[in-house]
Amino acid sequence: MTTTAPDLAARFRTDGFAFPVDALTRAEAEQALAECQTYLRAVSAVGGALARYAAFPKIHLVASWADRIVHHPAILDAVESLLGPDLLVWSTNLFIRPAHSGSSLAWHQDAVYLGLDGYQQHAARVWVALTDTTVANGTMRYARGSHLRGALPHRFGGSGLEDIMRGEEIAVDIDEAAAVDVLLDAGQCSVHHLAMAHASGPNQTDTGRFNFAIDYITPRVSPTAGEDSALLVRGTDTGAFLPERRPESNFDQAALNEFYSAVTRRQKRIDQTVQKRNAGKGPDTPRDPS
């Protein structure tokens, strides 16, 4: 078990988050970062649909470094202490804030557009630091306890927000003074509830910030509509989700086929969820890359 496991569940339940959780060693994080950067160059060269989905939403199906992280024993032990023995990976994402990037994300909740039933008790997002995360490089910020308020009202924020938010931001005030900065060393991770309100700021440093996010669910979660798939990483039950397969190597053909099928299936379903949410609320929001 990880060193933080004894109080991880209590902190997650009360605050909606817990960190730092010791996960990868610094050497493992450095190796993963190097492989991640190689991966991004490779998909950029390939172009097309693969490049379009390079940073999301199921990197672990085509990249060995990502597959290795989602199966990391320290991470799975921590998540099992929260969710139980049967664990699936529903999604993986890269969150990159380039050096001297003025980009930022307003306060938002991921759960409002994911289209998952049962996430309140049976899901968690792990945010793995492949580089150190600091206030200066625009780390994530949590609104402590906001998960207890459920799905908060959101408003369309316009083109100034990054695509990850689908242009949505929370339409209620967040107490900035009470916000908690997620400070992690490379290799550590944080874990948070999918209804946790969070935001991030600009990167004012000379180096990029790289974080790898993993959405873990249990078989008690189900899609709100349509088919979806997930990768079983611990235990025996996939529940309502179609099973996915691990890559044999980077971009092997079977893995690519699995990837394209999975992201197309998921994007179609999430688009339906967002269109339903936005009915009568103005123009369509951008596509979700999470």
Side-chain angles (χ1 to χ4, degrees):
M1 300 292 284
T2 63
T3 56
T4 56
D7 68 341
L8 183 65
R11 292 161 59 194
F12 182 80
R13 183 171 57 254
T14 302
D15 294 335
F17 63 85
F19 71 90
V21 178
D22 294 328
L24 285 64
T25 65
R26 181 168 283 274
E28 288 175 326
E30 290 173 351
Q31 178 183 350
L33 176 61
E35 292 180 80
C36 169
Q37 292 170 324
T38 299
Y39 158 82
L40 290 173
R41 289 191 293 269
V43 296
S44 178
V46 170
L50 183 61
R52 179 186 176 199
Y53 290 108
F56 55 86
K58 290 179 178 286
I59 307 165
H60 59 286
L61 296 183
V62 291
S64 296
W65 64 269
D67 173 75
R68 188 168 66 246
I69 294 176
V70 303
H71 287 89
H72 197 288
I75 295 176
L76 291 181
D77 286 347
V79 178
E80 181 174 344
S81 74
L82 300 176
L83 303 181
D86 293 324
L87 299 174
L88 301 99
V89 172
W90 180 68
S91 181
T92 49
N93 309 267
L94 269 173
F95 294 108
I96 303 169
R97 192 60 48 82
H100 300 292
S101 169
S103 180
S104 63
L105 290 177
W107 289 102
H108 65 286
Q109 293 171 303
D110 298 323
V112 298
Y113 54 74
L114 298 184
L116 296 175
D117 283 331
Y119 73 85
Q120 294 88 345
Q121 301 295 327
H122 307 291
R125 173 167 287 189
V126 175
W127 202 62
V128 184
L130 301 185
T131 58
D132 295 346
T133 69
T134 65
V135 173
N137 68 18
T139 192
M140 184 163 53
R141 308 181 74 208
Y142 292 137
R144 189 192 304 272
S146 56
H147 68 299
L148 299 174
R149 301 167 67 182
L152 297 170
H154 284 60
R155 59 176 170 255
F156 180 65
S159 60
L161 301 178
E162 292 183 12
D163 285 350
I164 180 60
M165 292 177 57
R166 288 184 165 271
E168 292 184 358
E169 59 180 316
I170 289 174
V172 297
D173 291 335
I174 297 293
D175 184 0
E176 293 277 356
V180 179
D181 296 308
V182 184
L183 306 179
L184 302 171
D185 294 333
Q188 292 181 324
C189 64
S190 67
V191 57
H192 67 264
H193 193 281
L194 291 183
M196 169 57 52
H198 57 287
S200 63
N203 184 350
Q204 301 172 340
T205 72
D206 295 332
T207 57
R209 171 176 63 78
F210 285 75
N211 291 84
F212 180 65
I214 313 165
D215 291 330
Y216 288 99
I217 61 173
T218 81
R220 299 184 71 176
V221 172
S222 60
T224 54
E227 288 187 334
D228 207 338
S229 57
L231 178 70
L232 184 68
V233 291
R234 180 169 284 187
T236 59
D237 187 4
T238 59
F241 291 85
L242 299 173
E244 296 173 346
R245 62 178 294 278
R246 301 178 67 174
E248 295 182 5
S249 60
N250 289 323
F251 309 118
D252 70 80
Q253 190 58 54
L256 286 171
N257 292 341
E258 180 84 10
F259 174 83
Y260 290 133
S261 295
V263 297
T264 300
R265 183 186 304 119
R266 181 184 170 196
Q267 192 65 61
K268 178 180 179 180
R269 191 178 65 76
I270 290 185
D271 280 348
Q272 292 172 345
T273 300
V274 174
Q275 289 167 7
K276 182 178 180 180
R277 277 182 47 80
N278 290 339
K281 297 180 181 180
D284 287 343
T285 50
R287 295 180 68 84
D288 165 43
S290 68

